Amino acid sequence: MDKFRMIFQFLQSNQESFMTGICGIMALASAQLYSAFDFNCPCLPHYNLAYGLGILLVPPFILFLLGFVLNNNVSMLAEEWRRPQGQRGKDPAVLRYMFCSMAQRAMIAPAVWVSVTLLDGKCITCAFCTSVPVETLGNISHASLSKGEIKRILARIPCKEIYDGQELMTNEVAVRYLRCISQALGWCFVLLMTMLAFLVRSLRPCFTQAAFLKSRYWSHYIDIERKLFDETCTEHARSFAKVCIQQFFEGMSTDLVATRCHLTRKASVDAGEATEKLLGITDRGTMNTALKSWHRCKPPLHLHPPALLSGNGWAGEGQPPAHPPTPRRETAAYYSGV
Amino acid sequence: MDRFKMIFQYFQSNSESVMNGICGLLALASVKMYTTFEFSCPCLHQYNMAYGLGIMFIPAFALFLCGLILNRQSLVMLEEWKRPLGHRKKDLAIIRYMCSSIIQRAMVAPVVWIIVALLDGKCLICAFSSSVDPEKFVGFDNISTLQVQQLLAKVPCKDDELMRNNTSRKAVSRYLRCWSQALGWSILLILIIAAFLARWLRPCFNQTTLLQARHWSNYIDIEQKIFEETCCEHSRLFAHKCILHFFKSMRQEIQLHSFNLPKEGEGAEEEEDLLHGITDQDQVNKLLKMWYYEKPPLDVS
């Protein structure tokens, strides 16, 4: 229990490692689910394909939907999507960002299931055992059997105990052949998924970095705002309840001395501190401008002590720069004493 | 438990340690994956080489891509490479340094996979059993070429009925495994010597440029992290102010429409502050409805 708690604490220490941890846990859970599952091929000509492909494709779909259901942010996305416009415009880029990040996380468990299934080989062996090329791998001319008979015999390949076609085609040859194809498909699938993930991660900074910073900020904002609103409402409800109960007791009897709760007047002090910490940015347009100019025009590596962050276009910064930055080579300015 | 905590804290102490930790984990995962994977050579002449070499190289490439994806610094490097110039010049030496350190770390897991595969020997036996010279081995010399090919292709499959107790199969298998292990150990030795030389000879070449590049690449990484943290803090405060404004505007609206705000006196002033003037069920319902239908504008000035 202690170990789990520590692992959770480690994973929650920062956002990135939390997400990586969640992805790893889902991948492990999916692999564990597959190994716990008892695969039972029916070994009948028409049922094999349905069973094999069903086990390959239906559980990943369920896991994908489960990934969405278990994600707390789905309700946040739905709320933001369906709310009326009111005084605050809606940004479709933010909705797209939230949906994409949720979909990416929900795709991991299904992808792991499909990879593990293909690499194990049982599903493909079960589904395609009737399509094995008997001409090349076995002795088709050995007995004059009808197509249906051959299919019936081949369908029993996954079930070694009842297989009766050793003269037609040896069980080991067929199983090796099918498993080789299944593993090749599995590794190709793994490679495809990793390449896709790599492209998605690496192409983003090349094209849409400024828009990405904006969407990420506002989607975090929506999440935090919702949580803070819930907290404020809870606080309100608590005070409401307190006042309500006090009034009730005062009304009922005059002997009860209402306990005085000396709540600190944090709200106004916090508001004052909060205004300071907002660094003069108080509306959406200014924040967007700040984020855009953070990407388009990073400040020079040249900190003037009296006028911090001068000259990079932030609104609300009322002071003129102390002196214009002298043009100097950056490497010379920061030459260390080594 | 203390030991775990110390290990976690050590790995989180700076981003380089985090990346080294991830690199080590990926190498361990690669070994685990190899031991869990059921290698099953098709033992057919046309497919053996493709299967054997495929198992050796495709997972290695996938592990390389995983190493690049899981490394946070690759994103930082790409952003630094693609950003507009603005007021800050770009130093290609920093980008080159970051690129080389990312690639070095990403290469560890694939190299571990390839070396483990070579030392185990199954991949090479499967891939090259058909290419062995049959005249070197007793039992393969008096048969037609086609049959020899088929027999040699079945060498990796110990349980095949033709090959079960065949001594020539064991000879071919041993021969190929010996080559495979020799190759594996040689590659390992060469890599370790190369790493040793690179570390030892590095101070002779351009030490100052290297120190600067390392410092500024660390700086860019830290700057990125601090920017994200500051954005989070900022959005929290923004949300706080926004909600307070909303409650204040609701209170003003209620004050306009009703004349009997309860006067509780001095003692209950703190509660009233927290209540923001909303003191009955209808007002709370109205507030919640307003919150849904008309969220306040993003403007706290």
Side-chain angles (χ1 to χ4, degrees):
Chain A
M1 234 357 89
D2 231 6
K3 199 160 54 146
F4 279 126
R5 194 155 41 97
M6 258 183 34
I7 293 179
F8 279 142
Q9 268 178 2
F10 165 69
L11 290 177
Q12 281 184 315
S13 54
N14 73 337
Q15 190 73 359
E16 185 81 18
S17 65
F18 181 65
M19 282 307 138
T20 315
I22 292 277
C23 297
I25 288 175
M26 277 171 46
L28 281 176
S30 174
Q32 188 63 24
L33 205 64
Y34 180 78
S35 55
F37 175 67
D38 192 15
F39 189 87
N40 265 320
C41 193
C43 293
L44 296 164
H46 298 291
Y47 293 92
N48 275 3
L49 187 69
Y51 186 83
L53 289 184
I55 297 295
L56 182 64
L57 299 172
V58 169
F61 184 64
I62 295 177
L63 287 170
F64 181 68
L65 291 178
L66 211 64
F68 270 108
V69 162
L70 293 178
N71 195 338
N72 285 334
N73 292 340
V74 161
S75 56
M76 179 177 85
L77 172 65
E79 215 179 279
E80 177 65 16
W81 185 34
R82 297 303 296 165
R83 71 170 170 90
Q85 188 98 339
Q87 291 182 27
R88 188 190 285 184
K90 277 204 257 200
D91 191 357
V94 172
L95 292 169
R96 266 199 310 266
Y97 170 82
M98 293 195 323
F99 180 73
C100 282
S101 72
M102 277 190 272
Q104 278 169 26
R105 242 164 270 142
M107 287 275 282
I108 293 172
V112 169
W113 175 278
V114 171
S115 317
V116 171
T117 308
L118 288 174
L119 291 178
D120 188 35
K122 288 199 283 251
C123 276
I124 297 287
T125 308
C126 184
F128 295 107
C129 53
T130 47
S131 324
V132 173
V134 193
E135 307 82 24
T136 39
L137 296 178
N139 318 320
I140 189 82
S141 54
H142 171 261
S144 52
L145 297 163
S146 66
K147 269 208 167 78
E149 269 292 307
I150 294 178
K151 265 201 162 36
R152 197 187 52 81
I153 293 175
L154 288 178
R156 296 207 181 145
I157 287 174
C159 307
K160 287 196 185 62
E161 316 84 44
I162 57 171
Y163 186 62
D164 54 356
Q166 282 292 109
E167 303 84 26
L168 178 63
M169 161 136 54
T170 29
N171 193 301
E172 293 86 23
V173 169
V175 164
R176 270 200 311 260
Y177 176 78
L178 288 165
R179 188 186 274 173
C180 152
I181 290 185
S182 172
Q183 286 179 345
L185 278 174
W187 282 119
C188 289
F189 179 77
V190 166
L191 188 65
L192 191 69
M193 287 285 120
T194 36
M195 259 207 273
L196 219 66
F198 175 71
L199 283 176
V200 161
R201 280 268 282 205
S202 59
L203 289 183
R204 197 239 305 143
C206 305
F207 294 110
T208 51
Q209 183 67 357
F212 167 76
L213 284 177
K214 206 168 69 160
S215 311
R216 190 174 63 176
Y217 180 86
W218 290 118
S219 77
H220 282 166
Y221 173 81
I222 292 171
D223 188 19
I224 289 175
E225 189 190 51
R226 192 173 71 135
K227 287 196 187 102
L228 271 180
F229 183 72
D230 287 342
E231 274 174 32
T232 315
C233 280
T234 313
E235 232 173 74
H236 186 275
R238 177 171 291 145
S239 312
F240 200 115
K242 198 175 278 188
V243 171
C244 206
I245 292 171
Q246 272 180 6
Q247 285 179 349
F248 171 72
F249 274 99
E250 274 168 7
M252 286 293 290
S253 127
T254 51
D255 288 338
L256 271 163
V257 180
T259 45
R260 300 246 165 137
C261 240
H262 293 285
L263 299 158
T264 51
R265 303 179 64 100
K266 275 174 69 180
S268 48
V269 174
D270 269 352
E273 272 179 21
T275 321
E276 272 176 34
K277 282 196 193 165
L278 278 178
L279 306 166
I281 298 181
T282 50
D283 70 87
R284 181 170 28 196
T286 320
M287 186 71 212
N288 285 346
T289 312
L291 288 170
K292 208 158 55 168
S293 66
W294 178 258
H295 174 65
R296 292 251 162 85
C297 184
K298 277 214 159 79
L301 291 166
H302 212 307
L303 302 178
H304 292 287
L308 217 62
L309 302 170
S310 68
N312 58 1
W314 277 24
E317 191 59 53
Q319 307 171 6
H323 55 269
T326 53
R328 290 193 281 173
R329 276 181 60 234
E330 271 176 16
T331 46
Y334 300 103
Y335 216 92
S336 65
V338 173
Chain B
M1 237 11 79
D2 264 345
R3 201 158 46 122
F4 271 128
K5 215 195 304 195
M6 257 174 44
I7 294 177
F8 282 152
Q9 272 177 356
Y10 168 70
F11 274 121
Q12 281 194 301
S13 55
N14 67 341
S15 65
E16 261 201 32
S17 312
V18 170
M19 291 186 298
N20 285 343
I22 290 182
C23 173
L25 276 175
L26 211 56
L28 283 175
S30 143
V31 173
K32 181 78 179 144
M33 246 170 46
Y34 185 84
T35 48
T36 331
F37 175 65
E38 259 182 65
F39 188 89
S40 121
C41 192
C43 293
L44 296 164
H45 174 62
Q46 320 88 299
Y47 295 111
N48 272 4
M49 180 160 300
Y51 185 83
L53 293 181
I55 296 296
M56 201 146 81
F57 292 118
I58 292 182
F61 187 55
L63 283 167
F64 177 69
L65 289 177
C66 268
L68 289 179
I69 293 171
L70 292 176
N71 195 343
R72 209 183 142 272
Q73 226 191 18
S74 56
L75 268 182
V76 172
M77 180 204 82
L78 274 174
E79 279 166 23
E80 175 67 16
W81 183 32
K82 281 305 193 176
R83 69 172 169 91
L85 212 59
H87 283 174
R88 190 189 285 184
K89 291 202 206 71
K90 276 200 254 203
D91 191 354
L92 281 179
I94 299 176
I95 297 177
R96 269 199 308 265
Y97 174 84
M98 285 169 87
C99 194
S100 79
S101 97
I102 289 166
I103 289 187
Q104 276 169 33
R105 281 201 183 93
M107 288 284 281
V108 171
V111 162
V112 166
W113 173 276
I114 289 178
I115 289 183
V116 170
L118 285 174
L119 292 180
D120 189 34
K122 289 197 282 246
C123 285
L124 237 61
I125 295 177
C126 185
F128 292 110
S129 66
S130 313
S131 327
V132 163
D133 186 8
E135 272 152 42
K136 286 198 195 145
F137 302 96
V138 176
F140 288 120
D141 35 6
N142 281 335
I143 325 174
S144 72
T145 336
L146 200 62
Q147 271 200 314
V148 158
Q149 243 183 18
Q150 274 186 352
L151 276 177
L152 281 175
K154 288 196 193 278
V155 158
C157 299
K158 290 193 247 242
D159 298 324
D160 193 80
E161 48 188 3
L162 283 174
M163 289 277 158
R164 206 155 281 161
N165 285 318
N166 197 329
T167 40
S168 353
R169 177 201 72 79
K170 289 184 193 155
V172 175
S173 175
R174 268 202 308 268
Y175 174 75
L176 286 169
R177 179 173 281 154
C178 153
W179 267 109
S180 167
Q181 287 180 343
L183 196 60
W185 284 116
S186 322
I187 290 180
L188 191 59
L189 188 65
I190 290 174
L191 284 175
I192 290 183
I193 290 179
F196 171 73
L197 283 176
R199 279 238 155 168
W200 199 45
L201 295 177
R202 195 169 51 182
C204 309
F205 300 101
N206 248 333
Q207 179 70 346
T208 44
T209 323
L210 180 73
L211 284 177
Q212 281 177 9
R214 192 163 68 182
H215 176 267
W216 289 115
S217 69
N218 267 345
Y219 170 81
I220 292 171
D221 195 18
I222 289 174
E223 189 190 51
Q224 169 91 298
K225 266 197 224 147
I226 292 183
F227 180 69
E228 283 171 17
E229 281 171 22
T230 314
C231 275
C232 273
E233 209 181 285
H234 187 275
S235 70
R236 167 167 271 269
L237 295 165
F238 201 117
H240 192 230
K241 282 224 57 139
C242 203
I243 291 170
L244 285 180
H245 267 225
F246 176 72
F247 273 91
K248 214 191 314 187
S249 71
M250 284 297 296
R251 179 204 291 208
Q252 282 166 0
E253 213 179 288
I254 288 167
Q255 271 177 345
L256 280 177
H257 287 113
S258 75
F259 299 99
N260 49 352
L261 275 180
K263 289 283 177 202
E264 291 291 324
E266 288 296 327
E269 234 176 64
E270 293 101 356
E271 275 99 352
E272 197 177 292
D273 261 341
L274 285 172
L275 280 175
H276 305 288
I278 299 178
T279 46
D280 72 47
Q281 181 178 39
D282 287 335
Q283 287 169 1
V284 172
N285 286 345
K286 182 151 186 261
L287 178 136
L288 291 172
K289 201 162 78 162
M290 281 284 286
W291 178 257
Y292 178 70
Y293 278 109
E294 277 190 34
K295 279 217 160 71
L298 291 165
D299 194 332
V300 298
S301 45

